[in-house]
Amino acid sequence: MSYDESHLSARRRPLSRLTLTLAAAAVVPGAFAGWLIWQATGGSDDGGPAGLPAQGASASASADPSQRPGSSGPEPRPSGPESPSKPASGDDAAPGDARPAPGDGPLAGRTVVIDPGHNPGNFKHTAEINKLVDIGTNRKECDTTGTSGNSGYTEAEFTADVSQRLRTLLRKEGATVKLTHENDRAWGPCVDERAEIGNKAGADAVISIHADGSAAGNRGFHVILPALVKSGGADTSKIVAPSRDLGERIAGNFVRTTGSAPSNYLGGGTGLDVRDDLGGLNLSTVPKVFIECGNMRDTKDIALLTSADWRQKAAQGMADGISSFLNR
């Protein structure tokens, strides 16, 4: 399972292309230019047929990555660093970070929280991450192990790498950037704590980075938006609209920088999916989205996810979308 929680009972609310196109034209005409061109030309010629996502592929994965299901063919190992060195905490500069002087840059004074999906230690702490926490609407697991490619490259490795690349890019724009974790803890944090980190930071934008674990042939990225939820401790009424704006800008720029097509199995070709079952969104009081960058179980998508060059493009697309949202 690639999300921070199980989606076995998720309600899908696919958006029409017409609705999204009109919204894009009104809100972010520049960001969606690449997307509209892709749709006008009939889409990617290497996208697989639409299908249903595999359910529970990683939520019930063994603590040992080598015991996960194999594949029918070889899979590339990641290029570039697979396990990024642990950077400094908070907004202290990490090795290689280049930032403008305080107060400089178009994002000066803005705070962005990046949530790297899952923790590589979750596999060794299944009892802890299976503990139920309150997500407002009900109680769900603290977290999941995340998914992996068929050759063992884990979602947690991928998200840590992309998150650090994204932080560097946003810092260069002058933003204050915080990560929910930096592989500096044995497991977690739980999904409710991840949401609270963004809330306490008073973040102007939060992005939770993931990769999917669906069936082979299911390809492409999708951005998950919060649904309108008012239940228990959850009230997303104030963040639904700005989160949609943030998600649309990230999706459009992700297409432009990576060349990847929107998901062929979720979102009706829009690259957007609305959900009401994710605690990380339900409990957020600041604009927040999830992004599933690709399917780790598809041979073509995993070839992208394991490429350092592509991961840099992915981070750039996210940074451009966030910058566009914060400078709107």
Side-chain angles (χ1 to χ4, degrees), residues 39-110:
Q39 290 180 327
T41 56
S44 171
D45 60 2
D46 59 358
L52 295 176
Q55 301 289 334
S58 63
S60 59
S62 166
D64 180 2
S66 67
Q67 299 303 311
R68 297 178 203 140
S71 70
S72 58
E75 170 189 298
R77 290 296 296 165
S79 59
E82 293 183 32
S83 300
S85 59
K86 187 179 78 173
S89 61
D91 194 51
D92 296 331
D97 273 3
R99 289 191 282 171
D104 290 345
L107 299 185
R110 313 307 293 271

Side-chain angles (χ1 to χ4, degrees), residues 25-231:
V27 180
V28 282
F32 271 78
W35 192 338
L36 296 176
I37 291 172
W38 174 85
Q39 290 180 327
T41 56
S44 171
D45 60 2
D46 59 358
L52 295 176
Q55 301 289 334
S58 63
S60 59
S62 166
D64 180 2
S66 67
Q67 299 303 311
R68 297 178 203 140
S71 70
S72 58
E75 170 189 298
R77 290 296 296 165
S79 59
E82 293 183 32
S83 300
S85 59
K86 187 179 78 173
S89 61
D91 194 51
D92 296 331
D97 273 3
R99 289 191 282 171
D104 290 345
L107 299 185
R110 313 307 293 271
T111 299
V112 178
V113 170
I114 302 171
D115 179 28
H118 312 290
N119 181 320
N122 283 357
F123 288 104
K124 299 179 180 179
H125 294 272
T126 53
E128 291 89 345
I129 66 170
N130 285 331
K131 175 184 175 182
L132 299 181
V133 299
D134 185 2
I135 67 166
T137 54
N138 62 319
R139 297 178 67 81
K140 296 188 103 174
E141 291 82 2
C142 157
D143 199 2
T144 68
T145 59
T147 190
S148 69
N150 293 318
S151 292
Y153 180 50
T154 67
E155 181 182 3
E157 290 178 272
F158 170 80
T159 63
D161 179 272
V162 174
S163 294
Q164 292 186 30
R165 293 172 188 271
L166 176 58
R167 175 172 59 182
T168 297
L169 293 170
L170 291 172
R171 281 175 165 169
K172 288 179 180 179
E173 296 292 308
T176 296
V177 184
K178 298 181 181 296
L179 271 64
T180 59
H181 72 101
E182 305 185 55
N183 296 347
D184 53 353
R185 49 189 293 168
W187 55 274
C190 295
V191 296
D192 55 344
E193 184 183 351
R194 290 171 187 262
E196 188 62 17
I197 291 170
N199 296 344
K200 287 184 176 179
D204 297 290
V206 183
I207 183 168
S208 187
I209 300 174
H210 293 260
D212 211 351
S214 187
N218 291 343
R219 295 203 60 200
F221 77 93
H222 63 279
V223 178
I224 304 174
L225 312 176
L228 178 60
V229 173
K230 286 187 178 183
S231 178

